[in-house]
Amino acid sequence: MTTLNIPPEKVWLVTGCATGFGRAIAETLLSAGYRVAVGSLSTSEVADIVDEYPETALAVELDVTNSEMVTAAVASAEEKFGSIDVLVNNAGFGFVGAIEEGEREEFAPMIEVNLYGTLNMIKAVLPGMRRRSRGHIMNISSVGGFHASAAFGMYSVSKFGVEAISESLSVEVAPLGIKVTAVEPGQLRTNFRGSSMHYAKKVIADYAETCGKTRSFIAETHGTQPGDPKKAAAVLIEIAESPNPPFRLPLGSDAYSRVRAKLAAVEEDIAQFEKQAISINYEGVVTESRV
């Protein structure tokens, strides 16, 4: 785990702290001396954390899809600690099923939490960050938010959306002193593949060799994932304290491999018809990249 010789001055708000990565982030921060607003659907789920750190931890009841609860949680954190310097949008869950298998009513709640919940939290903390001319928003995306795979299509819809929001936001708020990082974890050893994973009820036999293998892989590897959430949490601290944090942060050797593989595949794919693709402008028209 990374050892940091820095004063823990920043105030953090972390969502989804009842279990998994969110809990690991909160506990790692508090053990390092940071002040943390610990978000969960019920404060009873994080009572043990607050009991251990009564001076520096604040439990906030938080359903990220409920705008009133979001506003109240941000207000409580700012009232107690004076500011929110780092927001970690971690609350979320997964969904497995082929595009044809999943029904809207099955995956819509996931999109509501993963995507719209993230947006709700961002909009709630930005006024304070703009007033203070500082802040860092860390949106927990996924390697699946950069590289979609069989059976994770709808989950990737939610996480690709998080990446799009993050990318636009990073440009919008950079002049205001606010930083944005899209965190792309790979396989962390949490309960994400357990109770945090939802499945399409319909199973179509024709997808056995693609989505069926994904379902089997999830079941067979749950509890043996290579990524240590506590080590991942320590990296987030290092990123938050960096004067030049990255926008995109793959977390885990598997995530890094998948990101690099996707980049190589995209380059190979678009190169095939590059001549045709760039030939469609009217004569004499020159365009410039906005990146």
Side-chain angles (χ1 to χ4, degrees):
M1 185 177 293
T2 305
T3 301
L4 301 169
N5 296 314
I6 51 175
E9 297 175 351
K10 289 184 170 67
V11 176
W12 294 58
L13 191 161
V14 185
T15 69
C17 294
T19 61
F21 193 28
R23 176 170 279 261
I25 295 168
E27 291 177 339
T28 302
L29 287 167
L30 289 162
S31 67
Y34 289 90
R35 292 165 292 166
V36 184
V38 183
S40 181
L41 287 172
S42 170
T43 56
S44 63
E45 296 175 322
V46 293
D48 59 317
I49 298 177
V50 178
D51 288 345
E52 187 172 357
Y53 300 97
E55 299 300 320
T56 53
L58 171 69
V60 289
E61 188 175 25
L62 182 55
D63 175 351
V64 296
T65 68
N66 184 312
S67 59
E68 292 182 358
M69 293 179 72
V70 167
T71 299
V74 169
S76 295
E78 291 185 332
E79 181 180 358
K80 180 173 178 62
F81 297 128
S83 67
I84 295 172
D85 301 301
V86 185
L87 166 67
V88 181
N89 274 313
N90 169 74
F93 59 93
F95 181 82
V96 173
I99 298 299
E100 187 180 354
E101 292 172 338
E103 300 294 342
R104 187 180 187 280
E105 60 268 20
E106 293 178 317
F107 58 74
M110 174 201 63
I111 293 176
E112 191 70 29
V113 173
N114 293 5
L115 180 57
Y116 294 116
T118 293
L119 183 59
N120 289 341
M121 292 301 305
I122 290 170
K123 291 170 72 70
V125 302
L126 277 176
M129 289 184 174
R130 286 191 289 104
R131 283 196 305 271
R132 294 182 289 272
S133 299
R134 70 175 191 274
H136 196 156
I137 295 172
M138 293 190 181
N139 294 325
I140 306 300
S141 175
S142 165
V143 67
F146 190 81
H147 181 195
S149 57
F152 277 114
M154 297 315 299
Y155 175 71
S156 288
V157 165
S158 71
K159 293 303 187 178
F160 268 62
V162 168
E163 300 248 339
I165 288 171
S166 301
E167 195 164 321
S168 291
L169 182 66
S170 68
V171 178
E172 294 169 358
V173 300
L176 308 177
I178 302 168
K179 300 168 184 177
V180 180
T181 299
V183 183
E184 300 167 344
Q187 301 176 56
L188 295 180
R189 197 171 298 181
T190 68
N191 204 39
F192 178 73
R193 293 182 179 178
S195 61
S196 293
M197 189 65 73
H198 297 209
Y199 294 82
K201 294 178 181 178
K202 183 189 298 181
V203 177
I204 299 174
D206 285 347
Y207 297 114
E209 289 302 305
T210 53
C211 302
K213 287 185 176 180
T214 299
R215 290 191 188 91
S216 297
F217 178 77
I218 292 170
E220 292 165 2
T221 58
H222 179 45
T224 64
Q225 297 95 322
D228 183 337
K230 288 291 182 74
K231 289 182 177 180
V235 173
L236 296 193
I237 296 176
E238 188 171 359
I239 293 299
E241 296 295 348
S242 170
N244 187 31
F247 165 71
R248 179 169 282 109
L249 177 66
L251 268 182
S253 57
D254 59 321
Y256 240 91
S257 295
R258 284 182 61 184
V259 168
R260 290 193 178 279
K262 167 77 176 282
L263 291 171
V266 169
E267 180 61 35
E268 181 180 355
D269 187 39
I270 65 174
Q272 295 180 72
F273 286 87
E274 180 179 3
K275 182 178 179 180
Q276 295 91 327
I278 66 176
S279 69
I280 68 165
N281 284 0
Y282 288 104
E283 292 299 324
V285 175
V286 179
T287 59
E288 296 181 1
S289 172
R290 294 181 62 185
V291 176

